[in-house]
Amino acid sequence: STYENILVETRGEVGLITLNRPKALNALNNATMLEVVAAAEAFDADPAIGCLVLTGSAKAFAAGADIKEMADRSSVDMDAADWFAGWDGLTRVRKPLVAAVAGYALGGGCELAMMCDLIVAADTAKFGQPEINLGVITGMGGSQRLTRAVGKAKAMDMMLTGRMIDAEEAERSGLVSRVVPADELLDRAIDVATLIASRSQVASRAAKEAVNTAFSTTLEQGVLHERRLFHALFGSEDQKEGMAAFVEKREPTFRHR
Ligand code: HXC
């Protein structure tokens, strides 16, 4: 592949992106994040892929944005480059994106995991927003996504003290979906992604869009949006097949997957 900071492969219908800057604990420099976004967009456009997994190494999912790349910049430099703007592309991927997190997910690493749709954590995972120790704060949406995920009390604690939470606390707080033994992390994340990929992509796109709408609008508008998506799905072959298969007591064969 043409990537320098990530590894890209497929596992069946799952597109797997692995952060691969081991010497820097997968610190996220601009080049790495642009590669992640490009690889994710390519999988999003590939009809053979139904779900994506983003992972790091056993020691670090990612230890943050690359401090060495940012350290000497001025506020004018950061603004002129619109630093982090290109990284948001990940949130425009429409296929489900699973983060498989082992070891450190700190700073931008935690924010990157939260840009994914669900997080499967190894029992070794540690999440934190230590930016406060560097004289800065989150810059990739962390203050917003963390607060929505874990609530004000835990988000303030993490943002103001910089303390790390372990996988068990992260699950208890609602930051991660599941905690699994570290040596099974990738297999379990691929299993989740394979199950997601086995369903109709028309429906999974709608499900992802519907949940994300909960973060961006009122209850009334969100419920209305869900209703419209629900009605629209009755125009897909996969709705006909899914419901017919149930009535006929057989497994569905979805066309759009
Ligand atoms: C650049 C980093 C890095 C980072 C680690 N490294 N984190 N380089 N940016 N965020 C580098 C180290 O400099 C070191 O390089 C190598 O990776 C190994 O790290 P060590 O510190 O030697 O490992 P260890 O002692 O095991 O400690 C692990 C650690 C520590 C606790 C995760 O590395 C750490 O505290 N890292 C910084 C965490 C952090 O503050 N993250 C937030 C970044 S700010 P050398 O060359 O010395 O071997 C941020 C802003 C977000 O994310 C804004 C939006 C994206």
Side-chain angles (χ1 to χ4, degrees):
S1 84
T2 54
Y3 300 117
E4 287 177 13
N5 303 291
I6 60 172
L7 304 173
V8 176
E9 61 198 286
T10 57
R11 302 279 182 93
E13 296 176 299
V14 175
L16 175 62
I17 302 172
T18 306
L19 298 165
N20 188 33
R21 291 186 79 206
K23 289 189 186 130
L25 300 184
N26 292 331
L28 304 168
N29 60 10
N30 194 47
T32 301
M33 279 306 301
L34 295 184
E35 289 184 5
V36 169
V37 171
E41 285 174 346
F43 281 138
D44 207 26
D46 180 349
I49 296 296
C51 189
L52 283 65
V53 173
L54 176 63
T55 195
S57 69
K59 177 158 184 196
F61 177 73
D66 191 319
I67 297 168
K68 293 163 191 170
E69 188 176 49
M70 296 182 288
D72 295 327
R73 289 173 187 253
S74 71
S75 59
V76 174
D77 295 339
M78 295 299 264
D79 177 61
D82 201 1
W83 203 248
F84 304 136
W87 307 15
D88 289 340
L90 204 59
T91 63
R92 288 187 288 276
V93 168
R94 297 180 71 205
K95 286 175 188 163
L97 175 53
V98 176
V101 176
Y104 297 111
L106 301 179
C110 187
E111 297 180 272
L112 177 60
M114 290 189 291
M115 288 167 84
C116 300
D117 299 310
L118 60 97
I119 303 175
V120 178
D123 49 17
T124 57
K126 289 192 186 321
F127 298 86
Q129 301 294 170
E131 289 92 339
I132 199 77
N133 299 323
L134 303 168
V136 294
I137 66 168
T138 52
M140 219 163 78
S143 61
Q144 306 305 299
R145 293 198 181 92
L146 185 65
T147 306
R148 283 166 162 83
V150 305
K152 176 178 170 179
K154 198 72 80 174
M156 281 289 188
D157 183 350
M158 290 175 69
M159 292 276 298
L160 292 172
T161 71
R163 87 176 166 90
M164 294 183 215
I165 62 172
D166 63 17
E168 196 264 327
E169 185 172 359
E171 185 181 34
R172 182 164 19 103
S173 309
L175 182 59
V176 310
S177 306
R178 311 173 186 205
V179 178
V180 302
D183 59 359
E184 296 174 19
L185 174 67
L186 191 58
D187 287 344
R188 299 280 289 274
I190 299 267
D191 286 349
V192 172
T194 300
L195 182 62
I196 291 170
S198 74
R199 273 62 183 271
S200 166
Q201 289 185 19
V202 187
S204 60
R205 273 198 301 274
K208 172 169 173 165
E209 187 178 311
V211 174
N212 281 332
T213 299
F215 293 108
S216 63
T217 193
T218 62
L219 179 64
E220 188 183 10
Q221 287 301 312
V223 169
L224 179 63
H225 186 66
E226 179 197 70
R227 190 73 38 82
R228 298 294 181 236
L229 288 169
F230 183 81
H231 292 166
L233 287 169
F234 284 72
S236 77
E237 298 104 320
D238 288 342
Q239 173 270 329
K240 296 287 170 291
E241 169 61 12
M243 291 193 174
F246 175 83
V247 173
E248 293 161 17
K249 301 185 189 295
R250 59 174 175 82
E251 289 297 313
T253 308
F254 292 120
R255 168 141 183 250
H256 297 285
R257 51 161 295 198

